Amino acid sequence: MQFLAAQACVQYKGVEVRRHGGCLYVMSQLLQHDVTAVYYWDLTTDLVLPGDLGVLSLTVLQALLGSCDVDCLTVRFRQGGEKIALPQRKLTRTLKNYFNEWGVPPWLRDRVPLIYSGDQIVMVWGYTDFLLVNKGDGSVRT
């Protein structure tokens, strides 16, 4: 049995028990992944991420993109310090603040795919629609 005090996690025989926001989470042990990895998505098929990180659906992305002229995006993971501006908000805030607001448990925050166009986050997969679409000409601002 292993107890990880910093993240309030107990691991035993492939199972993890975690506490967050007054709730207990019992789940299969999360697989390690490289948070510094960058995955190139050519937008011709779904993007299968390694381990237990999931599959990003091209159909879902196309529905969110509409007719935008984008032929390649990159997928990265949280490093800390990222900032985004949601269209309905006037201020730019840190991704950490949004994750807190959205109730994303700390152990999942570095597992949420961040979709980039160039060096700019244009989507937080599963939490935001496409953020920087210029509706006028169908291009993505970067």
Side-chain angles (χ1 to χ4, degrees):
M1 184 180 314
Q2 184 178 12
F3 178 71
L4 305 173
Q7 293 187 14
C9 174
V10 176
Q11 298 174 332
Y12 182 70
K13 294 187 178 183
V15 174
E16 295 179 342
V17 179
R18 296 177 182 262
R19 178 181 52 83
H20 174 68
C23 295
L24 283 178
Y25 295 81
V26 179
M27 65 193 104
S28 297
Q29 193 168 347
L30 295 174
L31 300 176
Q32 295 291 324
H33 77 100
D34 180 3
V35 297
T36 64
V38 176
Y39 302 96
Y40 294 91
W41 195 0
D42 65 6
L43 306 181
T44 59
T45 61
D46 293 348
L47 180 64
V48 179
L49 296 171
D52 59 356
L53 295 174
V55 177
L56 303 185
S57 167
L58 181 61
T59 304
V60 169
L61 185 70
Q62 287 172 333
L64 295 171
L65 277 174
S67 62
C68 291
D69 185 23
V70 177
D71 55 4
C72 183
L73 297 170
T74 58
V75 178
R76 306 176 200 172
F77 296 93
R78 183 171 177 259
Q79 304 293 303
E82 295 88 353
K83 293 186 178 188
I84 61 172
L86 296 180
Q88 67 272 24
R89 308 261 177 114
K90 295 182 187 212
L91 299 175
T92 299
R93 295 176 57 200
T94 65
L95 187 56
K96 177 181 177 179
N97 288 342
Y98 283 115
F99 278 162
N100 284 334
E101 182 180 315
W102 298 330
V104 180
W107 62 89
L108 295 179
R109 293 176 187 178
D110 72 350
R111 305 176 81 75
V112 174
L114 306 176
I115 312 302
Y116 281 77
S117 178
D119 287 331
Q120 182 125 16
I121 297 174
V122 294
M123 176 187 255
V124 180
W125 192 266
Y127 293 92
T128 66
D129 289 341
F130 217 67
L131 298 176
L132 302 173
V133 176
N134 181 336
K135 299 289 186 190
D137 65 6
S139 64
V140 175
R141 290 184 291 134
T142 59

